[in-house]
Structure formats: C-alpha cells, structure tokens
C-alpha cells in the first residue's frame, strides 16, 4: 500500500476526514518519521509501529485538522440546463449574475483595472456630454425661445465698433413691424450698488419694457416695468440679489436702493432661471430707446420675437427694408460703423446666437472623448479576451456538458454587463465630482453654463454608454469562444505549439485593437498639440504692448458721485502722483479704455487727406485719453516722432499721437506735423482748435491677437483743460517685481486719493490676458488630457498584449534560445512584434489626422492644421512610448531559462 | 492569556498552547520550514523537555494559519515531491514580539518568587 492510501485509511472511521492537501502533508510527515526511525536503527516493524502511533493520535484529533485557509473556495459555474419557463430563465440570469460577481471577487485586480479604465472613459464622456447637452441641446428657459432671434445691424457691410444695433434702425422698424411681434433692446454696465449694506460693484442690464413679455417670463414677485415707466427710476432685482441682500423678503417691493448714487425703487424680482441675457446681471433697470435726433446714435443689443410661421430670413428682409428709412446720423454713423453705406439687418435664432462660439469646439471635444472611450473599451476588450483565452478549457468543458452557444454567450455577456455597469457607476461618481468643479474650470463667458447639470438625460446617457461599451467589449470574447474547437482545447496539455499566440485569430484581433488604439492616441495627440501650440502662439503673440509686470486696476467715478469733470481730473492727478511714489512702481499711467476688453469709444470727422491726394475724407478713429507715461508703461514702441511729455499742457500747442493704421490710412508718408481738425472729448467751445500729430506709435491689438487694428488717436489728459471727460479709467503700474505685490499699495493709494474711490478688478495685465484666452486654453488642456489618457491606455494595452504573447510563446522562445538564439535576438523578436503594431497604428493615425485636423483649422492661431513640428513630434512620442511598453516583456523573454522552460517548469 | 482564577489544568493547557505558538513563530522567524522540520526542531532544541506531541502540531499550524500568524504554501523543489512550507506573516512577527515580552516578564516574576531560571 502506498503512503497516501495508508494515511487516508487511518481516517476512514474518524469523525472528520481531512481534505486532500492535509492528507498529503501528513503523508509526508509520516514518511519522514518512518525514514528517521529506520535511520536510527529501528527495524521496519518498529518504524511502522511508530507511524501507526502517530496516525492514531492524528485520527483522534481529526476534527482539529480542518484546514482554515483564507482563500476563497472555487467558484462553481451555474448549471447548464436549458430553462423552459420565464421564471427559470430569470433564475438562470440571476445565477449568471451571481457567478459573474464571484468571478470578479476572485480576480479583484483584473476587476479593478477594468472598472477604472471604464470609469475614466465613461466619466469623461458623460461630463462632456452633459456640457454639450446643456449648452447645445437643452430647451432654452424662455417660453417663446423658438421664435426669438438676435438682431445685428451693419452699414455698408461693416459691423459697429461696439454694440449690435442702433436706435435709428430699431425705431424705424418698430413703428410698423409685420414679421416680428415685438422688439426689445438691452445693454449691460457695471454700477456701484449702495443703500443696502456694503457697497458693491454689480453688473446690471438696462432693458426696454418689451423684453419680459417678449421672452414670455413672469416675475417671481411684484411686476416688471411697463413702456410708460421706461424713464422712471425703478429696478427689477435678480432672484440672486434678492436672496443675498434681502433674504428673499417679499416686502422688498417699494423699497429703495442706490445705483451709482441714483435712487431706484424696487418693483419686482426676476427668477434666475429666466434671466436674460445672462445670470451675471444682478438687476434690471428700464432703458428707453430715444430717437436718433441730430447726431445722437445709441448702440445696444437687440432681440426680436418672430410672428408665428415667420422665418428669420423674412424678418431680415423686412428689417433691412425698414432700416433704409432710418434717420440719417451722418458723422456719428461713420464714427461707429466706419461706413455710411446702406443699413442691413441680420437675424440669428437665439439658440444659435448664444452658442455660436462654442458649438464647434464642443463637438470636436465630444468626438475626442468618444475616441477616448473607444480606446478604453478596446483595452477592456483586450483584457477580457486574454481572460477568455485562459478560460478556454472551462468553456470547452461547459460546452461538452451540453451548454449551448447561446447559453455560454449569455453568460459571457452578463459578465461584461456587470463590469460595464460597475464601470458606469464609477464613471457617474467621477462625473458628479467633476461637475462640482466644472464651474470654476469653465471660462466665465461660457454660454448657458446654468443649464449644465447632471439630470435624467445625462444619467440615461451614462447608462446607455455603459451598456453599449460592455456589449462592445463583451462581443469579442463571445466571438472567440464560439469559435473554440472542443476537442483541440480539451486535448491541449497547456504547452502551446511553437509559434502559437502570434498567428491565431485572437492574437490578430488583439493586435488590430492595439493598432487602432495607437491610431486614436495619435489623432488626439495631433489635435492637442495643434491646440496647445495655437494657445502658446496666442499667449506670446506680439500685441504691440508688453503685459508682463504690469498691474492694472479699474476706477469708476460715476457722475452721480463725482459731479464735475474737474473733480475727477484732480483726483486722478493726485493718484498718479501717489502711485509713482510706491517704491517698486517704475511707471504709473492710466488710459480711458480698458485693454483686453471689447468695446470703447469711437469718433469721426472730415480730414483733408494726403493719402487721398488732398481730397476730404471721412475719418473713423478711436480716441483714447492717456497720461504721458502710458506708452513707456506698456512699452508701446514709438515708430516716428515723440510721445507725450510733461511739457504738453493746456498752455502749449494741442498735440495728438496716432497709431500706424491711422497714419497709413489717412496721413501718408509724412504724418508728423499733420493737423487734425478736431479733438475728441474737446469742449464745444474748443471744437475749432487744430491738433498737431507729434508721434506715431505701433499698432496695439488690445482685445484679441487676431483682431484687425483700428485707427487710434491718443490725447494727453493734461490738454483737456483740467477736466477728465470720462467716468471710467484703467490705472496701470509697471513694477520692478511681481505686480501682485503692489496691489495693496495701489489700493491704499486709491483710498488716499479719495476715500469714496474703490479700485476695482486689481489684476496683473498678464492675468487679464489669460482670462481673455480662457476658452482656447480650456480646449487645449482638455484635448491634451484626453490625448494623455489615450496614450497611457494604448501603452498599457500594448504592454499587456506583449506580456501575454511572451508568456504564450515561452516554449517557442526557449527552443530558439536552446538552438543558439542570443538574448539580443530574442529581444529584437519581441520588440519587432510590438513595434510593428505601433507603426501600423502611427501610420493610420497620421493619415486620419491630416484629414481630421481640418475641422480644427478655424480654432487655430499661428499654426496651420498641418503643422510640421506636430506631425514630426507626435509619431516620435508614440514610437518612444511604444518602445517603452515593449521593453519589459522583451527583457522577460530574454531572461527565460531554456532548460527549465523546456523541462516543463 | 493567563487568568488568576484558572485551574491548574487550564493553566497548563494555556501555557502549552501559548508556548507552542511562540516556539513555532520563533522557528519560522529564522526561515521558512515544513511541518516535519518544525516538529524535529522543537524536540531537539528543548532536549525533549517540552514533550510536544506531533499530533497537536498540525492543528496548531492550521489554527495559526487561520489567525493569519503564519502562511502555508506548496513549494516544489527539483527532484522532490512538493512540500508545504510555512512562513511567518507580519501579524505573526508582531505577536512573537509581544509574546516574547510577556514570557520574559513571566519568567522574571517566577525567578524572583521561586528562583527558577529560564535559559
């Protein structure tokens, strides 16, 4: 009798029969005791007796020989019988689900990797979908939204320098409109709110009474103003301001608050959900469109409500026709439009107008994140396929026991579904976390941010994506299993034939997946690189001024508080003096216009032009009032003549500095000494004074790097007769160190110059620049993040496939090594396999990129869609990452011990 | 642990069980060993004074494994049948350290009272 049977027999009548591994261990112990006894000189009988004593004591303690392993017991697969009733079918499904869950528990690392990969893909896709859905697809909050059109006016094809619509065209159309039910006009401005707690600078909307009925909104409490009190000092609070400042008190109606020092009576509260044009406005005051009498032209934004059944094109035709009867405002029209041509009206559906700038980037990003999800799903498919290959024997046995193809398919799909849903749940958690930071990440000027949220539609999308991706990655293993050859799989002894794992269909499928992943990573990297380089180009673009080390602050001196222009002049002069005395401030200056902000003033006049051969031309130019040190503070180059000096005063000759565009367009070769017939901001009694051009400065692109330079005229504030004819200025301080460090000193200097004066938006100029570039930066960062994820996913996938392939080919590689292949050759073999897959992906990706990047071309600045650097660097990066992913498996292959491998160890 | 109201038999059983575990942990601290080796070593090192029956070795090992103090695994060596080797876990090391100090205190106390010495 052999030893094992002897030990088994010893337990035949014991209370508990130990399991096989315990018996095996005890057998070895018994055998060792026997051999030790023999070695001590015992006879075989004596030695056997010792063993029998031992066995007897074990038998008595049999109950204590339970093996208390912490390992999970083997999982029994669900039964393979075919269900006949619906209940049985459901029970079968539940069984599959339980089995799948237990399989996952047994392989926690695999499950975790899969779920994390899916969570990343599903989370990112869901976030982007929620933004796209909220911004582009969700119904607008106004009942009449589908009939609302945003109106724009042009003259002779030129858009106005600021605003969208003139009072002249508005009134001409409103009188006898037949295509639109009503028109509304609005504009926004920043005012100081006082009279209710701490003073605060807030944005308000000034709107015609027609705006609210046109949108179809109702007040939360109180009423909106009507056409007859468009000139009364009444105010409608936003819901936010009402809650914040008045604790949502319904008795607020009839109370007063001060805006820029003027008292207003509260008449109603506008619900935030219906706020138009945006939620940044904290209050709405009446706005009356006055006739364009004389040269008075006012500009604002306009919106129209189409009559039912009327198309925007019909409204455009009517608006344009009626606009031709608009009052002639001569020079003012010229100043604002740069043209006196015929009026043309444009009408764009509201939804389109709101999202026009973000539609294409959002769609591009949604496609990009879809590609990321695809590559994540492909990785999971690869992982699942590897697992199925390892489970081929299980599947074959189940098939042999009578499980039909449908039965096995169902079970595999249930497993994938479980993984997909777990990944989806993790993805939704990611989405919720990302949503909490979304508002701080997205630029403040991003349209319709309020409608972005996680709602039923977004959750349904996440669920749909989870199910779709789990079916996608579940189908590959199913396809693999259904092709399994029962006899071959069961006959296989675990030692694969030479070359297996490289040429099978499964291996080919996995290589195809990796190539596709590399291609996707390639496309995303190219896109990210283009947007990144474009952003860098925007950031470093030569704008004609140097924003580095300059602190800027806005100062508002409303006429209601600072009654006279002389008062404002005095305060500002003192402020400049105080700023110049701050130790780290090297230059202090101010300008009447805000750099990096759209809008501004414009003027027009007749000029005898050298360019036009002495004929009279109409000049449109933007006037700016600056302090003498303005050009040096912003490092604006003076290309001809000189800048202002402290000697340019009221008593000296009135002088003006123009920019290059002005000089080129109106003054010709000899701009210095030319005389401009009038000065902007000049007092009526000074209109006849001529201003001499003393210098030409480089064009400055104040708003965007891509903007076309407009003619500009700079005046020194010291030649304004001791007045400051504007109410808002921007103070600039060039500093020796970090500009932020001067902020406190600047605020103090402002307070000291005038106790009521508050420095607003005190930020370094570079930060204003970054804010103005928030959207391109966001797109570049997002696409970069997607590309990095796709790159990592592709690298992990490649690494997995190669590692698996090496483990499958150990026998083949060992034979090669035994036959004399050196380590170098083995490494090269594995590298070749990995790099060929990578190269196929790179070539496919580059080809796709050359075609796909065309959609990005409108988003690019300073680089072309076929940027050579990008198209050289991206393949190199991919190749480097691909090589890195190959190195570890290749090294493992090289370290194989051929003797051991072939002996079957 | 030792409780003052234990009867002599209970004390002896507790002592034996506790000491067995400490012995096994101490032996496994040096290196991984299989069951037979452990039994032989305990017998040799105590010069047979600790009459420790092989019968209780495996229940003790399995109990300790259940408590995560040691970990058993099958190891194959060239030309041999596979054997089950035990190794001490992190929790085992911690227990060993605390047991050592408890036993140290106990022997000190015994020594002071009864002048019994431990090696």
């Amino acid at each position: 009798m052999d030893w094992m049977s002897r030990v088994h027999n010893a337990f035949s009548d014991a209370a508990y029969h130990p399991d096989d591994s315990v018996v095996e261990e005890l057998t070895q112990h018994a055998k060792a005791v026997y051999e030790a006894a023999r070695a001590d000189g015992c006879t075989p009988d004596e030695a056997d007796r010792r063993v029998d004593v031992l066995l007897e004591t074990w038998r008595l303690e049999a109950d204590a020989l339970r093996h208390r392993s912490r390992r999970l017991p083997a999982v029994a697969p669900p039964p393979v019988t075919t269900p006949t009733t619906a209940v049985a079918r459901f029970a079968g499904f539940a069984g599959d689900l339980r089995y799948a869950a237990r399989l996952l528990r047994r392989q926690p690392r695999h499950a975790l990797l899969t779920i994390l990969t899916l969570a990343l893909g599903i989370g990112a896709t869901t976030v982007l979908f929620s933004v796209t859905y909220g911004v582009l697809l969700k119904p607008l909050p106004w009942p009449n939204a589908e009939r609302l059109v945003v109106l724009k006016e042009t003259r002779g094809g030129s858009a106005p320098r600021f605003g969208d619509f003139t009072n002249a065209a508005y009134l001409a159309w409103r009188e006898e409109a037949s295509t639109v039910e009503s028109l509304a006009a609005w504009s926004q401005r920043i005012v100081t709110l006082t009279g209710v707690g701490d003073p605060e600078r807030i944005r308000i909307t000034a709107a015609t009474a027609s705006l609210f009925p046109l949108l179809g909104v109702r007040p939360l409490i109180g009423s909106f103003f009507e056409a007859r009190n468009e000139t009364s000092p009444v105010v409608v609070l936003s819901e936010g301001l009402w809650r914040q400042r008045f604790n949502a008190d319904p008795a607020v109606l009839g109370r007063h608050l001060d805006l820029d020092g003027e008292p207003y009576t509260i008449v109603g509260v506008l619900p935030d959900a219906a706020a138009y044009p945006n939620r940044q406005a904290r209050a709405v005051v009446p706005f009356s469109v006055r006739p364009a009498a004389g040269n008075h032209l006012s500009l604002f934004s306009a919106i129209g409500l189409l009559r039912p059944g009327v198309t925007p094109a019909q409204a455009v035709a009517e608006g344009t026709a009626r606009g031709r009867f608009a009052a002639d405002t001569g020079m003012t029209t010229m100043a604002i439009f740069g043209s006196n041509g015929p009026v043309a009206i444009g009408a764009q559906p509201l939804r389109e107008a709101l999202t026009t700038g973000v539609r294409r980037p959002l769609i591009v990003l949604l496609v990009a994140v879809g590609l990321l999800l695809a590559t994540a799903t492909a990785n999971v498919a690869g992982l699942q396929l590897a697992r199925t290959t390892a489970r081929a024997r299980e599947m074959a046995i189940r098939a042999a026991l009578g499980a039909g193809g449908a039965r096995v398919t169902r079970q595999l799909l249930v497993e994938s579904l479980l993984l997909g849903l777990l990944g989806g749940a993790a993805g939704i958690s990611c989405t919720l976390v990302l949503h909490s930071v979304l508002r701080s990440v997205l630029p403040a000027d991003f349209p319709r941010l309020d409608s972005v949220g996680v709602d039923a539609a977004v959750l349904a999308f996440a669920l749909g994506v989870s199910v779709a991706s789990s079916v996608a990655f579940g189908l590959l293993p199913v396809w693999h299993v259904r092709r399994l050859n029962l006899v071959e799989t069961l006959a296989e002894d675990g030692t694969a034939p030479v070359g297996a794992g490289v040429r099978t269909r499964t291996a080919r499928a996995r290589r195809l997946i990796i190539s596709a992943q590399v291609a996707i990573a390639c496309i995303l990297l190219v896109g990210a690189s283009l947007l990144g380089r474009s952003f860098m180009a925007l950031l470093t673009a030569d704008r004609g001024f140097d924003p580095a080390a300059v602190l800027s602050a806005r100062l508002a001196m409303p006429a209601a508080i600072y009654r006279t222009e002389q008062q404002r002049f005095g305060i500002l002069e003192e402020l400049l003096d105080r700023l110049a005395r701050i130790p780290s401030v090297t230059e202090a200056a101010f300008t009447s216009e805000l750099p990096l902000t759209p809008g501004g003033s414009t003027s027009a006049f007749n000029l005898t032009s050298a360019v036009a051969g002495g004929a009279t031309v109409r000049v449109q130019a933007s006037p700016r009032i600056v302090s003498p040190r303005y050009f040096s503070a912003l490092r604006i180059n003076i290309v001809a003549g000189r800048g202002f000096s402290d000697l340019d005063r009221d008593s000296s000759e009135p002088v003006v500095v123009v920019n290059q565009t002005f000089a080129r367009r109106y003054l010709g070769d000899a701009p210095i000494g030319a005389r401009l017939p009038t000065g902007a901001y000049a007092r009526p009694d000074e209109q006849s004074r001529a201003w001499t051009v003393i210098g030409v400065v480089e064009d400055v692109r104040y708003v965007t790097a891509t903007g076309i330079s407009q003619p500009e005229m700079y005046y020194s504030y010291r030649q304004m007769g001791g007045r400051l004819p504007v109410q808002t200025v921007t103070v600039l301080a060039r500093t020796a160190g970090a500009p932020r460090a001067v902020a406190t000193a600047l605020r103090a200097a402002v307070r000291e110059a005038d106790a009521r004066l508050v420095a607003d938006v005190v930020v370094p100029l570079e930060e204003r620049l970054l804010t103005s570039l928030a959207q391109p930066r966001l797109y570049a960062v997002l696409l970069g993040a997607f590309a990095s994820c796709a790159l990592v996913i592709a690298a992990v996938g490649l690494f997995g496939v190669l590692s698996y392939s090496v483990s499958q080919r150990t026998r083949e590689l060992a034979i090669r090594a035994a036959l004399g292949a050196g380590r170098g050759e083995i490494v090269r073999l594995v590298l070749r396999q990995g790099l060929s897959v990578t190269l196929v992906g790179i070539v496919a990706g580059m080809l796709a990129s050359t075609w796909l990047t065309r959609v990005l071309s409108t988003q690019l600045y300073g680089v072309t869609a076929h940027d050579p650097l990008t198209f050289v660097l991206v393949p190199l990066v991919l190749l480097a990452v691909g090589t890195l992913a190959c190195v570890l498996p290749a090294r493992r292959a090289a370290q194989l011990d051929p003797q051991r491998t072939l002996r079957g160890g | 642990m030792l409780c003052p109201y234990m009867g002599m038999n209970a004390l002896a059983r507790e002592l034996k069980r506790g000491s067995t575990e400490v012995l096994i942990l101490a032996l496994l601290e040096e290196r991984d060993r299989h069951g037979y080796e452990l039994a032989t070593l305990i017998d040799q090192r105590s010069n047979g004074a600790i009459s420790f029956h092989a019968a209780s070795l495996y229940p003790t090992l399995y109990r300790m494994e259940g408590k995560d103090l040691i970990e058993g695994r099958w190891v194959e060596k060239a030309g041999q049948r596979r054997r089950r080797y035990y190794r001490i876990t992190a929790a085992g090391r911690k227990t060993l350290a605390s047991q050592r100090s408890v036993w140290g205190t106990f022997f000190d106390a015994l020594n002071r009272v009864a002048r019994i010495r431990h090696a």
Side-chain angles (χ1 to χ4, degrees):
Chain A
M1 197 196 303
D2 69 86
W3 281 97
M4 190 83 97
S5 311
R6 190 169 166 190
V7 176
H8 264 303
N9 287 343
F11 289 104
S12 57
D13 62 342
Y16 168 79
H17 195 104
D19 67 31
D20 285 349
S21 82
V22 171
V23 170
E24 188 179 345
E25 191 173 15
L26 296 180
T27 304
Q28 280 166 23
H29 192 106
K31 204 175 154 196
V33 166
Y34 178 87
E35 281 160 3
R38 291 286 290 139
D40 285 346
C42 293
T43 63
D45 283 348
E46 279 170 352
D48 268 333
R49 261 199 303 283
R50 281 195 193 181
V51 171
D52 283 337
V53 170
L54 185 64
L55 288 177
E56 177 57 17
T57 57
W58 278 340
R59 196 183 66 80
L60 291 173
E61 297 245 13
D63 203 42
L65 285 171
R66 282 180 207 278
H67 208 270
R68 300 171 204 206
S69 167
R70 280 164 298 114
R71 278 225 231 127
L72 292 164
V75 177
V80 290
T81 47
T82 317
T84 45
T85 64
V87 174
R89 216 166 266 141
F90 178 76
F93 179 78
D96 281 351
L97 204 61
R98 262 200 308 279
Y99 180 56
R102 272 180 289 163
L103 278 183
L104 290 190
R105 275 227 325 268
R106 284 182 67 82
Q107 295 180 310
R109 235 176 293 174
H110 166 86
L112 199 68
L113 187 65
T114 309
I115 291 169
L116 282 183
T117 311
L118 285 175
L120 178 76
I122 295 173
T125 313
T126 306
V127 168
L128 216 68
F129 171 79
S130 69
V131 174
T132 313
Y133 172 73
V135 173
L136 298 186
L137 302 175
K138 227 180 203 173
L140 295 172
W142 308 287
N144 298 334
E146 294 315 308
R147 288 193 286 139
L148 293 175
V149 283
V150 170
L151 304 170
K152 307 257 181 195
E153 178 184 344
T154 56
R155 298 283 179 104
S158 308
R161 285 295 306 275
F162 47 85
D164 299 316
F165 219 84
T166 64
N167 51 347
Y170 182 89
L171 293 174
W173 191 3
R174 195 183 67 178
E175 294 313 308
E176 287 178 83
S178 61
T179 54
V180 288
E181 268 180 32
S182 65
L183 295 175
W186 60 270
S187 62
Q188 290 194 321
R189 64 177 192 268
I190 311 276
V191 298
T192 307
L193 167 71
T194 48
V196 280
D198 293 335
E200 186 187 349
R201 299 282 294 160
I202 58 167
R203 180 194 293 264
I204 61 164
T205 304
T208 55
S210 56
L211 181 68
F212 304 113
L214 175 140
L215 294 170
V217 298
R218 299 182 169 285
L220 211 56
I221 58 165
S223 60
F224 296 135
F225 37 81
E226 289 164 26
R228 61 188 160 75
N229 54 16
E230 261 179 2
T231 49
S232 319
V234 292
V235 61
V236 172
L237 301 182
S238 72
E239 187 184 338
L241 188 66
W242 178 54
R243 291 190 185 284
Q244 179 201 334
R245 286 301 181 107
F246 299 95
N247 285 323
D249 179 8
V252 76
L253 303 174
R255 284 176 61 180
H256 297 276
L257 51 76
D258 289 350
L259 299 175
D260 274 352
E262 303 278 359
Y264 282 81
T265 310
I266 300 168
V267 293
V269 174
L270 175 67
D272 270 349
Y276 182 87
N278 48 41
R279 276 198 206 183
Q280 278 100 47
R282 314 293 308 276
V284 188
V285 296
F287 172 59
S288 167
V289 179
R290 280 177 295 169
N295 270 357
H296 174 78
L297 203 57
S298 66
L299 279 124
F300 42 76
S301 299
I303 178 170
L305 176 64
L306 299 177
R307 287 188 191 281
V310 171
T311 64
Q314 288 167 317
V316 163
E318 191 202 23
T320 304
R322 297 210 186 275
R324 300 283 156 91
F325 294 99
D328 179 19
T329 47
M331 266 322 190
T332 315
T333 313
M334 186 68 201
I336 287 169
F337 288 90
S339 163
N340 260 341
V343 172
I345 304 296
Q348 194 179 20
L350 180 60
R351 176 193 296 279
E352 213 178 292
L354 284 177
T355 58
T356 202
V358 296
R359 175 177 298 268
R360 188 183 277 251
L362 273 182
I363 290 171
V364 167
L365 286 176
L366 198 60
V367 169
V369 86
L371 286 175
L372 180 67
L373 178 65
T375 186
T377 306
N379 239 24
V380 174
L383 278 173
Q384 291 292 93
L385 199 56
R387 250 178 97 234
T388 319
T389 316
R391 284 168 65 192
R393 276 173 79 85
E394 177 204 327
M395 293 298 163
I397 290 171
R398 302 190 64 197
L401 290 176
R407 188 69 194 73
V408 173
T409 303
R410 188 182 84 182
Q411 204 229 297
L412 282 173
L413 281 182
V414 164
E415 281 177 45
S416 304
L417 202 62
L418 182 67
L419 274 175
L421 290 180
L422 286 174
I428 289 172
S429 319
C430 286
T431 307
L432 290 174
V433 171
L434 284 174
H435 259 274
S436 59
V437 297
L438 200 62
R439 204 138 303 183
S440 56
V441 172
L442 287 175
D445 58 347
F446 207 86
R448 299 200 67 199
L449 267 187
D450 306 319
S451 52
V452 175
V454 180
D455 54 14
V458 172
L459 290 179
F461 173 84
L463 184 69
V465 165
S466 311
V467 171
S469 58
S470 48
V471 169
F473 68 69
L475 279 181
L476 206 60
V478 167
W479 171 76
H480 172 74
V481 164
R482 301 200 84 166
R483 299 183 46 84
L484 273 182
N485 182 320
L486 184 63
V487 179
E488 265 181 30
T489 310
L490 288 179
E492 200 187 334
D493 63 352
T495 50
V498 170
V502 201
R503 280 184 280 278
T504 62
R505 273 167 187 271
T506 317
R508 265 206 297 277
R510 296 200 68 191
R511 285 209 312 264
L512 201 67
I513 290 175
I514 298 297
S515 291
Q517 286 180 315
V518 172
I520 286 175
C522 179
I523 294 169
L524 293 181
L525 275 178
V526 166
S529 162
L530 289 179
L531 286 188
R533 274 170 56 70
S534 166
F535 171 69
M536 288 314 291
L538 279 171
L539 198 60
T540 54
D542 181 11
R543 291 175 155 73
F545 68 97
D546 176 14
V550 176
L551 187 68
S552 68
R554 190 169 52 185
L555 294 182
M557 294 187 270
I561 300 169
Y562 302 92
R563 298 276 172 198
T564 66
E565 296 176 332
Q566 284 77 6
Q567 199 182 356
R568 295 202 286 266
F569 175 87
I571 291 169
L572 200 61
E573 185 146 72
E574 193 191 331
L575 174 61
L576 283 181
D577 198 41
R578 286 183 185 277
L579 285 181
R581 272 182 283 155
I582 298 175
S584 51
V585 170
T586 54
E587 307 266 10
F590 86 89
T591 166
S592 58
E593 307 286 323
L594 212 59
L596 298 163
T597 310
S601 48
T602 180
S603 70
F605 49 87
N606 288 332
L607 179 75
T608 312
S609 168
V611 177
T616 300
V617 294
R618 286 189 158 187
V619 170
Q620 181 212 20
S622 301
R624 291 165 190 273
I625 301 173
V626 299
S627 61
R629 301 221 168 272
Y630 176 72
F631 300 120
S632 53
L634 279 188
R635 302 226 165 113
I636 296 172
N637 282 338
I638 295 168
V639 292
R642 64 171 178 93
F644 296 115
S645 80
D646 288 338
L647 298 174
D648 297 314
R649 298 186 157 273
D650 283 322
S651 52
S652 61
E653 183 193 22
V655 293
V656 59
V657 172
V658 298
N659 71 349
Q660 281 176 304
T661 301
F662 188 104
R664 197 169 48 241
R665 195 174 294 176
Y666 304 119
L667 303 178
D669 299 333
I672 306 299
R675 295 169 80 82
L676 304 187
T678 181
Y681 304 116
R683 277 194 304 236
D685 57 306
E686 287 180 334
Q687 288 290 352
S688 55
R689 278 174 87 189
W691 295 67
T692 308
V693 176
I694 53 160
V696 177
V697 292
E698 212 173 298
D699 284 339
V700 173
R701 280 168 290 275
Y702 284 109
V703 182
T704 60
T706 46
I708 300 158
S709 291
Q710 297 290 330
E712 274 157 3
M713 304 173 294
Y714 295 90
Y715 295 93
S716 171
Y717 82 113
R718 297 196 170 203
Q719 293 194 316
M720 298 278 143
R723 307 171 303 130
L724 185 67
V726 291
Q727 296 180 18
T728 309
V729 297
T730 301
V731 178
L732 301 161
R734 180 163 288 280
T735 58
R740 271 225 176 271
V742 184
T744 315
L746 184 142
R747 282 204 174 90
V750 168
R751 256 195 319 276
E752 284 160 20
D754 185 274
R756 292 165 300 176
L757 197 57
V758 180
D760 194 17
V761 212
V762 184
V763 286
L765 215 48
E766 272 188 316
E767 245 168 69
R768 276 184 199 268
L769 182 67
L770 272 178
T771 310
S772 74
L773 296 177
Q775 286 198 17
R777 181 172 62 169
L778 176 75
Y779 303 147
V781 166
L782 275 184
L783 206 54
F786 297 160
S788 313
C789 288
L791 188 64
V792 170
I793 286 174
V796 169
L798 183 62
F799 172 77
V801 164
L802 279 186
S803 302
Y804 178 72
S805 160
V806 166
S807 72
Q808 290 286 297
R809 292 172 76 187
T810 44
R811 241 174 111 76
E812 175 207 335
L813 295 173
I815 291 175
R816 284 176 190 268
L819 290 178
R823 291 203 161 180
E825 276 170 82
I826 300 279
V827 167
R828 268 198 297 280
L829 195 73
V830 177
L831 275 182
R832 194 160 59 228
Q833 190 194 346
L835 289 183
S836 65
V837 174
T838 312
L839 275 177
V840 169
I842 291 176
V843 170
M846 293 315 276
L847 285 177
S849 297
T850 47
W851 185 71
L852 280 173
T853 48
R854 289 184 311 175
V855 298
L856 277 182
S857 55
T858 53
Q859 309 289 326
L860 297 181
Y861 169 82
V863 283
T864 66
H866 296 141
D867 175 43
L869 188 69
T870 296
F871 277 73
V872 168
L873 272 186
V874 167
L876 287 182
V877 167
L878 281 169
L879 209 57
V881 171
T883 313
L884 214 63
C886 297
V887 162
L888 224 60
R891 267 188 48 193
R892 215 173 49 221
Q895 283 162 358
L896 278 179
D897 178 358
Q899 280 195 12
R900 247 188 98 172
T901 308
L902 293 177
R903 216 189 289 135
Chain B
M1 281 289 91
L2 297 174
C3 302
Y5 49 83
M6 274 179 179
M8 262 326 277
N9 284 342
L11 175 66
R13 201 164 56 236
E14 192 61 33
L15 265 175
K16 196 171 165 186
R17 173 185 276 188
S19 63
T20 314
E21 290 194 0
V22 176
L23 281 173
I24 291 173
L25 288 174
L27 288 172
L28 291 180
E29 194 190 23
E30 294 166 17
R31 64 179 175 87
D32 298 356
R33 301 178 195 277
H34 51 74
Y36 179 73
E37 194 183 357
L38 284 171
T40 324
L41 281 173
I42 292 172
D43 193 45
Q44 281 171 5
R45 295 227 177 146
S46 66
N47 291 326
I50 296 181
S51 114
F52 171 72
H53 217 288
S56 58
L57 174 68
Y58 288 97
T60 307
L61 286 177
Y62 298 157
R63 194 175 59 237
M64 288 170 74
E65 205 177 357
K67 288 199 284 187
D68 200 21
L69 298 176
I70 59 172
E71 184 189 27
R73 65 208 165 99
W74 289 99
V75 175
E76 289 173 56
K77 284 190 177 168
Q80 289 181 7
R81 288 201 66 83
R82 64 178 198 154
R83 298 196 88 143
R84 202 147 198 277
Y85 275 78
Y86 293 89
R87 91 159 67 149
I88 187 166
T89 63
R93 282 180 205 284
K94 241 165 135 181
T95 307
L96 178 62
S98 81
Q99 287 276 330
R100 271 192 175 130
S101 85
V102 168
W103 281 102
T105 317
F106 181 65
F107 279 117
D108 279 351
L110 274 185
N111 194 24
R112 259 179 270 123
V113 175
R115 300 192 185 285
I116 297 168
R117 283 173 174 253
H118 78 278

